Structures are given as C-alpha cells and as structure tokens.
Amino acid sequence: MKRTVIVFFLFLGFGSYMAIGQNTRFDKTFQEYSDLVSKKSNILCTMPKEFTDLKYYEVWKIREDREAGAFYNPIIQSADKECIIMYMIFPLFITPQESYVNNVVQVLNNKRSKDSVNVYDNDINERLPRNHISFEMRTALGQVDKRNRPIEGSVFEFDEYVTLTSGKEIRENFNADSLYVYDIPLQKPYKDNYTHCTGLLVKKRNRPSMVLKLFFTGKGKKKEKYYMDLLNKTIWYENVRNN
C-alpha cells in the first residue's frame, strides 16, 4: 500500500533536518528497489551472491536516545546468516527544492526570520557524504546532545574513524569516485545477534550517493572483507551525459 510520508534525516549538520515529502512504499522487494533506483538515479543494483531478500523495512536509529537515523529497505541476509545488509530507502542526494525545505525547517528550529532562508547551494551534495557520516559517527560516539548539537569540547577526527578509498579500484568495482567505510559503535546488538556495524557510502560526483549498513555477528565480522567484496559491481553507476 502506498503512503505519503515526510521523512526526516539528520545529516546536513548538527541539529538540522531535511524533510522529504514523497509517495513511497516501505516494503519494496529488492527488485522493486533496484528498478526504482535505476529509473530515478541511473544506478544499477543487483543482489550480491549468497544473499537473500528478507522483505521487510527498518527504521534504524544510530542510538536509541537520539533521533539520528533513516529508513532502510531492502534488507538482505547472507546464506550463512552471519551478515545483514541494509540499503537506505533512497540514495543520498538533495535537490534544489529539498534544500529549500531544509533551510525553512532550520529557520523554524532556530526561530529565526524566514528572510534568512538561503538559496540552493550548488556544492551541497559534494559535502553531504562527509556531513552525513560525521553526524552518524558523532551521534554513535555520544558527541551530540539530545537536541543534536555538538557537546562542547568534543572533537571528531574524520580520518581517524573513516577510511576513504578512491581511484581505479573504486571505478572498476562501482564506476564511482569514492568509497567511505566506517565502523559504527552499537549501543546494543542488532536483532540480538549482530554485534558489529559497518557503514558504507559509495559516491560519484554530481550523482546520488548509495548508503548501506552492514551488520555482522562476531563470526561474520572476521569475514568482513569477504562480504564487502561480494558487493563489488552490485552497485554500478551508469554513465549519464552532462555529469
């Protein structure tokens, strides 16, 4: 059943929201998701080998006592049940219209005059992956308060927590520019058995970024590279003119 929803993400900066109103289903199969992403974003997604579609969606928060999080669907599981992969319900990208809505929400949150709303920032999508990851990690590390503001004195060193790979390897595996990988500390295991979480973000300039979460059991974490390699070429940016 289709529903009209307003989805709130906390990745533009500390304490800022982006509200996206759209018609969407939260219970898409992997194939439905793949068809939608291909049509809307020109990104081809195929099921990694040895994985099956669990056919449910998840509203997953970084911490139970904070609001940072997102909707994930589809969600797939490895045949050995040692790894679960969640795809963010749509790729990470901000249109001019969404940027305006976000600015309006920031104004309302900060009780400023509407006259302070800014025009669309052409480079916002280039900064978005780092902002998204930084906010997730600072939330996971307890460096933001309940109003999603940085705690005074806290310091987050991006390069200490996030591995960025670019160049030939990423072009060959995803036809993309960059791959960000980062371990997210969990307050409690996911589904009781998955004690480790790795964030993965695939980026190509001027294109939406793919955001995934990989959950591992203790045994699965030891095979993390194996599962990561299964993702190669299952996300593929089609070549589009004027990008």
Side-chain angles (χ1 to χ4, degrees):
M1 179 179 68
K2 291 186 177 181
R3 286 167 285 181
T4 300
V5 296
I6 300 295
V7 182
F8 292 99
F9 286 97
L10 301 173
F11 49 55
L12 291 182
F14 301 109
S16 66
Y17 291 75
M18 182 176 75
I20 304 174
Q22 61 178 300
N23 293 318
T24 188
R25 277 177 48 208
F26 292 161
D27 57 346
K28 294 184 295 292
T29 65
F30 190 94
Q31 187 59 55
E32 287 174 324
Y33 172 83
S34 176
D35 292 344
L36 181 62
V37 171
S38 175
K39 179 180 179 180
K40 297 292 187 181
S41 303
N42 296 112
I43 301 172
L44 301 179
C45 293
T46 55
M47 181 83 73
K49 294 180 179 178
E50 304 178 24
F51 277 79
T52 57
D53 190 353
L54 294 180
K55 298 181 180 178
Y56 73 91
Y57 70 88
E58 179 82 22
V59 183
W60 188 70
K61 295 167 63 174
I62 301 296
R63 289 174 61 102
E64 291 299 317
D65 58 350
R66 297 294 184 271
E67 294 304 317
F71 289 86
Y72 291 88
N73 173 247
I75 299 172
I76 61 177
Q77 185 179 51
S78 61
D80 60 12
K81 295 182 170 48
E82 304 294 344
C83 175
I84 285 179
I85 300 178
M86 304 196 310
Y87 294 70
M88 199 163 78
I89 198 165
F90 41 77
L92 189 65
F93 192 75
I94 299 177
T95 67
Q97 294 81 6
E98 290 164 351
S99 178
Y100 178 81
V101 171
N102 176 73
N103 285 333
V104 170
V105 174
Q106 288 189 64
V107 167
L108 295 176
N109 286 345
N110 296 322
K111 298 181 180 179
R112 297 197 302 263
S113 167
K114 290 185 178 181
D115 292 337
S116 66
V117 174
N118 298 319
V119 296
Y120 176 61
D121 180 349
N122 289 323
D123 292 326
I124 194 169
N125 284 300
E126 292 307 300
R127 297 193 302 272
L128 191 53
R130 289 182 69 95
N131 289 350
H132 175 82
I133 293 169
S134 295
F135 188 75
E136 286 193 332
M137 288 301 301
R138 295 201 73 163
T139 300
L141 294 169
Q143 294 186 357
V144 296
D145 62 22
K146 290 186 177 181
R147 295 184 62 185
N148 304 305
R149 300 172 303 185
I151 293 175
E152 185 176 356
S154 63
V155 177
F156 176 69
E157 298 290 346
F158 189 90
D159 294 338
E160 181 180 341
Y161 291 94
V162 183
T163 299
L164 171 60
T165 306
S166 58
K168 181 180 178 181
E169 178 183 358
I170 305 306
R171 289 195 299 272
E172 290 179 346
N173 290 336
F174 305 102
N175 195 31
D177 300 327
S178 307
L179 175 69
Y180 297 81
V181 180
Y182 50 108
D183 289 330
I184 302 175
L186 296 177
Q187 277 187 311
K188 63 180 183 179
Y190 178 69
K191 300 295 184 184
D192 296 326
N193 296 321
Y194 296 87
T195 53
H196 302 271
C197 178
T198 297
L200 184 151
L201 188 149
V202 187
K203 177 184 178 297
K204 188 177 181 73
R205 183 170 178 79
N206 296 329
R207 301 283 293 277
S209 296
M210 292 292 293
V211 180
L212 289 76
K213 297 295 184 292
L214 287 75
F215 294 91
F216 304 102
T217 63
K219 183 178 179 180
K221 182 66 174 177
K222 296 176 182 179
K223 298 168 57 181
E224 180 175 11
K225 185 179 184 305
Y226 172 76
Y227 298 115
M228 292 278 288
D229 287 345
L230 290 179
L231 286 169
N232 291 342
K233 295 184 171 64
T234 67
I235 295 172
W236 191 262
Y237 282 80
E238 294 184 281
N239 293 322
V240 179
R241 291 182 179 181
N242 300 322
N243 280 316

